[in-house]
Amino acid sequence: MLNRFIGLSAAIVGRSSRISGFPFSPLLKAGGSRNQSQNRTMSAGKAFKVLVTHPEVPQEGIDLLKENCEIIQVQSVPINRAELLEKIRGVDGVLWGGHEPLNAEALDAAGPQLKSISTMSAGIDYVDVPEVKRRKIPLGHTPTVLNTAVADLAVGLLIAASRRFHEGRKTIDNDKWENYHLNWLLGQDIRDSTVGFYGFGGIGQAIAKRLSGFDIDKVLYTTRRRVHKEIEEEFNAKKVDFDTLLAESDFVVIASPLTKDTQGVFNATAFNKMKQTAVLVNIARGKIVNQDDLYEALKSNRIFSAGLDVTDPEPLSPKDKLLTLDNVVVLPHIGSATKRTRADMSTIAAHNVLRGLAGEPMLSPAY
Ligand SMILES: O=CC(=O)O
């Protein structure tokens, strides 16, 4: 019985070892603290029912779950809530594949036997975490595996916004290619700049790592807790208060979770403290920025430009006033959208669900 689960774990390790930075082996090899009754259930074959809430969850995760679980899958896209609430009834585990609200309504529909949930996302602002906690259901998510994809995109946005990609492209569309002017479409340099991170966890650090090849001068960061000394040394990074970050950074990169404390902190007051030449990049969550205030700051050239992968709301209306501006590059929240990253996210999520079902600590618990 035990061997069977360890066999499953070993297979996961084998298939997942290419996911860099993820501590699979020690946890899996140790086997964790298994709960006896759950082991018995596991040994009885596909005794667990797992709901996968999205039809496009990559096969890698589904295959892992299939080995020990009966899979029920939502088929509608966009997700039909009624279908989800119908299919969740009586399941033991859930791989929550989209950004639908995961709340008391869904948990009530599932029933009291539900013992393991994992999202397939880093951010969990669409989850009613206190409600999941109150029911003592282990909850996993998938940070870390998406750090590199999001960091790559952040650097892309930083360059696109500072070098005026959007505005430049529009000049071509509008037959206004005026390169006979020497000062045409001049942008901001990255070399010798100060890059300020609002939030300096895995994604922020992955961005800093990439930018270290761009000859930047220094890294500042604002977080609740100071990061490890070795990390500060690696990036020549200094923790500063929010006002200092705003005042001294040439590039301000938002890489923090959305919480009640971070919601709307980038507002008119904040923009007024930034350099007029500053570039704002947001790859975290749209609601951290007051978008009306950002619009005004960009329109009045109070700040130089912005590169956004996230907006408020999402999807952004094609008629949104933000899109009328030359000095903002907007993407439709595609930070983690690479084939490999999605596959890795499904692997971790499946793994979290399996570990929750087995009574083991999840690989990446959300609380
Ligand atoms: O934004 C994407 C995520 O949180 O995974």
Side-chain angles (χ1 to χ4, degrees):
M1 156 192 85
L2 206 64
N3 286 345
R4 185 157 170 248
F5 193 78
I6 289 173
L8 167 74
S9 304
I12 296 167
V13 174
R15 280 200 295 272
S16 314
S17 54
R18 72 196 172 84
I19 303 177
S20 56
F22 223 91
F24 279 102
S25 336
L27 279 173
L28 287 166
K29 282 182 182 152
S33 55
R34 261 176 224 112
N35 163 319
Q36 286 307 312
S37 69
Q38 282 168 335
N39 266 338
R40 259 197 309 281
T41 322
M42 204 70 163
S43 70
K46 294 192 177 184
F48 290 123
K49 271 195 196 163
V50 171
L51 174 71
V52 176
T53 68
H54 200 294
E56 293 162 6
V57 167
Q59 200 57 36
E60 284 82 348
I62 307 278
D63 286 347
L64 291 177
L65 289 171
K66 259 195 201 152
E67 293 182 24
N68 269 48
C69 309
E70 177 192 334
I71 311 279
I72 300 158
Q73 200 158 5
V74 171
Q75 296 302 331
S76 49
V77 189
I79 303 304
N80 176 319
R81 185 79 176 171
E83 183 191 351
L84 189 154
L85 294 178
E86 171 62 31
K87 290 187 168 168
I88 203 169
R89 190 169 305 145
V91 300
D92 303 290
V94 180
L95 193 163
W96 198 269
H99 287 201
E100 299 299 306
L102 169 44
N103 54 16
E105 178 192 42
L107 299 170
D108 284 344
Q113 76 300 324
L114 181 58
K115 49 181 106 34
S116 181
I117 308 175
S118 180
T119 71
M120 215 184 90
S121 64
I124 51 166
D125 42 290
Y126 55 91
V127 182
D128 185 343
V129 177
E131 190 58 41
V132 180
K133 258 188 188 170
R134 195 178 65 73
R135 297 171 192 235
K136 300 192 171 56
I137 305 171
L139 174 70
H141 66 146
T142 60
T144 313
V145 282
L146 47 70
N147 290 358
T148 58
V150 177
D152 292 349
L153 193 94
V155 173
L157 278 172
L158 189 147
I159 298 172
S162 61
R163 300 299 300 275
R164 304 168 73 164
F165 281 16
H166 177 62
E167 189 181 351
R169 169 60 201 256
K170 277 173 75 178
T171 66
I172 302 172
D173 291 345
N174 298 326
D175 199 16
K176 293 264 191 282
W177 187 319
E178 296 174 353
N179 63 348
Y180 40 82
H181 289 301
L182 289 183
N183 289 334
W184 192 56
L185 284 178
L186 300 188
Q188 304 295 338
D189 280 293
I190 302 177
R191 77 178 150 138
D192 295 333
S193 67
T194 295
V195 182
F197 289 89
Y198 182 75
F200 200 48
I203 293 178
Q205 289 164 32
I207 299 169
K209 181 174 172 193
R210 281 153 180 72
L211 290 177
S212 65
F214 284 74
D215 302 328
I216 61 174
D217 182 36
K218 47 177 188 287
V219 169
L220 303 177
Y221 71 92
T222 298
T223 52
R224 268 185 310 164
R225 263 170 285 138
R226 197 170 159 184
V227 301
H228 284 136
K229 203 161 163 280
E230 302 82 67
I231 292 170
E232 287 191 343
E233 280 167 9
E234 181 181 349
F235 298 113
N236 187 22
K238 189 173 154 211
K239 182 170 176 346
V240 292
D241 62 31
F242 188 43
D243 281 358
T244 307
L245 186 93
L246 296 170
E248 294 188 9
S249 301
D250 299 297
F251 296 91
V252 175
V253 180
I254 305 176
S256 78
L258 171 66
T259 65
K260 61 178 178 11
D261 297 327
T262 65
Q263 180 156 356
V265 294
F266 281 83
N267 55 18
T269 311
F271 296 131
N272 284 332
K273 291 176 181 162
M274 286 170 68
K275 294 184 182 180
Q276 204 174 350
T277 50
V279 174
L280 179 76
V281 173
N282 188 5
I283 46 74
R285 285 293 184 265
K287 284 188 193 302
I288 298 172
V289 173
N290 179 318
Q291 207 159 277
D292 284 334
D293 290 359
L294 175 63
Y295 171 83
E296 294 302 333
L298 290 168
K299 190 168 170 59
S300 62
N301 296 313
R302 180 60 201 78
I303 64 171
F304 186 76
S305 64
L308 312 174
D309 184 40
V310 286
T311 56
D312 177 25
E314 290 179 6
L316 191 66
S317 160
K319 296 197 169 65
D320 195 283
K321 60 186 175 185
L322 200 62
L323 302 176
T324 63
L325 298 174
D326 283 343
N327 55 347
V328 59
V329 179
V330 186
L331 297 178
H333 200 153
I334 52 171
S336 63
T338 72
K339 272 195 137 171
R340 176 173 167 187
T341 301
R342 278 284 186 277
D344 291 349
M345 289 163 79
S346 80
T347 300
I348 304 292
H351 208 72
N352 281 337
V353 171
L354 288 169
R355 292 183 71 98
L357 290 173
E360 295 180 350
M362 288 187 170
L363 275 184
S364 45
Y367 66 78

